[in-house]
Amino acid sequence: MFQNASEILTLIVSAIVQWLFYRKRLPKDFVPERILVVKLDHIGDVLLATPIFSNLRIAYPNTELHALTGAWGRVILENHPDVNKVLEYNSPAFSRSEQSTSFKNALQLYQELRSQKYDLLIELRGDWRIIWFSLLHLTPRRLNRASLQIANKLGFSQFSGTHETIRNLDVLKRAGIPTPIQTTIFSVTKENEKWTSNFLETHQIHRETSLIAIHSGSPIALKRWNPERYAELADWLIAQKRAQILFVGVKDEIPIINQIQNLMRGNAFNIAGKTSIAQLASILHICSVFIGNDSGPMHLAAAVGTQTIGLYGPSDPKRFGPVGDKCQTIQKKLDCPPCLGPTCRFGTEGCMSKIQVADVIQTLENSGYLLGI
């Protein structure tokens, strides 16, 4: 509750700063030399913000586009072809495993940003320190999403769509910047393609046989699908489609994967904790299908163009679903309010338990994802 109240207060203050000190619209002949985009939250959210840079590049082909994000999201934007520079700031509001940036280092960051002489600040998700940077006039012009969110809540204006990518792009559209690109992106490098080939060969994973990636973890327990059902699904894919199963994730999720593998009759590969984000993206790029919970790896699979099925419980796929023509989501309990606590507020197993193995198989077969496997 406190976290939600703190987030709401941050949004309100950020919006007030915009309305009081940055009321002027961008001039029609505005040609910035340098733009800073702030996006401090988690990997999936950063991926959903990547269309911002693609559209800014079209609008301002010669402008330097810089990004300020956490250590966890740095690689996402460093691999974006339209981002010139990425600066790191681990906000105390969004740090999970990484150490937060100290107040002293935040002051040093302000000085560094000040020296860049940005013409425009675009704040998609900031914190109290970023608000202070704006009050100290880090840039002469500022666009921020918080003012749109508060106006939307108060009924003064509406976002043009529900999904996070659209809500991010509305920040540009309201300023008169065209937004023809709405798809997320993560560029796989030749170096990581070579790494993937060597990795698969070392682990005796054959590319000739269809690879299906499964991500069974999530930092939020209520977003995880039942291990027994993941085991049943993996066994079905192996037995019926002769697929190779790659369990992916971070090191902390290995116990969950071990539990699933112990329940399986067939064999699967566990590569959790063995890849960087860029390396994981390269592996996901060659997979036939990705199946997993609402998480960063799911959005990463969508961003590299892989067929993606996201399993949703307490979060809203209409707002936070994977982006692209090859993406689908499954959610069974549609009347469940969003909740991110450790347990279901209704005292049940949680709405993820409503999803059956048959639901995933039907989605796979109806979509033609398994044709040719």
Side-chain angles (χ1 to χ4, degrees):
M1 177 66 79
F2 174 78
Q3 184 179 5
N4 291 337
S6 177
E7 289 177 2
I8 292 171
L9 185 59
T10 302
L11 286 173
I12 292 172
V13 174
S14 183
I16 291 173
V17 168
Q18 182 72 27
W19 294 329
L20 291 180
F21 302 106
Y22 296 91
R23 295 174 61 89
K24 292 183 180 179
R25 295 180 61 85
L26 299 182
K28 291 185 178 181
D29 59 350
F30 182 59
V31 182
E33 181 178 339
R34 198 169 290 114
I35 295 175
L36 176 66
V37 179
V38 177
K39 185 65 173 172
L40 301 183
D41 36 352
H42 309 300
I43 289 175
D45 302 292
V46 175
L47 279 163
L48 293 180
T50 54
I52 285 284
F53 297 94
S54 304
N55 287 290
L56 285 174
R57 177 57 65 218
I58 294 173
Y60 306 116
N62 299 316
T63 296
E64 281 191 39
L65 300 180
H66 294 189
L68 181 65
T69 192
W72 47 88
R74 182 172 191 134
V75 66
I76 304 299
L77 299 178
E78 284 180 336
N79 279 270
H80 196 299
D82 297 318
V83 177
N84 299 106
K85 184 176 182 178
V86 179
L87 299 107
E88 187 175 307
Y89 165 57
N90 295 339
S91 168
F94 302 108
S95 296
R96 283 176 174 165
S97 57
E98 290 82 0
Q99 184 175 0
S100 300
T101 299
S102 67
F103 180 74
K104 178 182 178 181
N105 288 338
L107 292 177
Q108 293 173 345
L109 173 65
Y110 172 78
Q111 294 298 331
E112 180 182 358
L113 296 176
R114 186 91 176 177
S115 69
Q116 295 287 339
K117 300 185 184 301
Y118 292 108
D119 301 294
L120 175 64
L121 169 67
I122 300 176
E123 184 186 325
L124 300 177
R125 190 75 183 271
D127 66 0
W128 283 101
R129 292 171 179 174
I130 301 302
I131 294 174
W132 277 109
F133 289 1
S134 298
L135 285 170
L136 293 172
H137 290 284
L138 175 66
T139 60
R141 293 182 174 88
R142 175 185 188 246
L143 304 174
N144 87 323
R145 184 176 142 163
S147 58
L148 298 186
Q149 287 179 264
I150 297 302
N152 182 71
K153 285 290 186 183
L154 295 175
F156 293 118
S157 62
Q158 296 293 320
F159 284 113
S160 62
T162 301
H163 201 275
E164 282 293 284
T165 54
I166 302 302
R167 294 184 174 208
N168 286 329
L169 292 175
D170 276 352
V171 177
L172 301 186
K173 285 190 282 188
R174 295 291 177 86
I177 301 172
T179 58
I181 298 176
Q182 298 183 358
T183 52
T184 59
I185 183 175
F186 187 95
S187 298
V188 176
T189 65
K190 294 291 184 182
E191 178 184 358
N192 283 317
E193 286 179 348
K194 183 178 180 181
W195 180 91
T196 295
S197 295
N198 293 335
F199 181 86
L200 295 180
E201 183 178 352
T202 299
H203 290 79
Q204 298 183 330
I205 302 172
H206 306 292
R207 296 181 67 162
E208 295 78 14
T209 305
S210 179
L211 303 177
I212 295 183
I214 291 179
H215 180 236
S216 55
S218 170
I220 299 170
L222 283 182
K223 287 187 176 184
R224 300 176 197 151
W225 198 35
N226 190 296
E228 286 81 3
R229 292 179 188 174
Y230 269 124
E232 183 182 342
L233 175 65
D235 277 333
W236 184 89
L237 289 166
I238 294 169
Q240 300 298 321
K241 300 300 178 179
R242 297 183 180 179
Q244 292 181 104
I245 305 299
L246 306 182
F247 285 105
V248 303
V250 297
K251 186 177 180 181
D252 291 345
E253 294 168 339
I254 291 177
I256 298 173
I257 298 171
N258 287 341
Q259 181 183 359
I260 295 170
Q261 288 183 294
N262 290 334
L263 293 167
M264 290 176 59
R265 298 186 304 274
N267 296 320
F269 298 95
N270 179 2
I271 63 173
K274 297 180 180 179
T275 66
S276 66
I277 292 175
Q279 291 164 348
L280 175 60
S282 182
I283 289 177
L284 294 176
H285 181 60
I286 65 169
C287 287
S288 301
V289 183
F290 171 95
I291 304 168
N293 308 324
D294 173 21
S295 64
M298 179 201 66
H299 290 294
L300 189 61
V304 298
T306 298
Q307 306 274 13
T308 300
I309 296 179
L311 308 183
Y312 279 74
S315 52
D316 185 359
K318 292 180 180 179
R319 184 171 175 183
F320 299 105
V323 179
D325 295 335
K326 297 181 178 180
C327 299
Q328 285 193 285
T329 60
I330 301 174
Q331 186 181 45
K332 301 300 290 185
K333 190 168 176 56
L334 303 180
D335 60 343
C336 187
C339 54
L340 302 177
T343 58
C344 176
R345 69 180 69 178
F346 301 111
T348 67
E349 292 180 310
C351 43
M352 286 292 281
S353 64
K354 302 297 182 181
I355 300 174
Q356 304 298 321
V357 173
D359 296 320
V360 182
I361 293 174
Q362 183 178 18
T363 300
L364 286 164
E365 294 188 324
N366 290 348
S367 305
Y369 286 177
L370 300 181
L371 290 177
I373 295 181

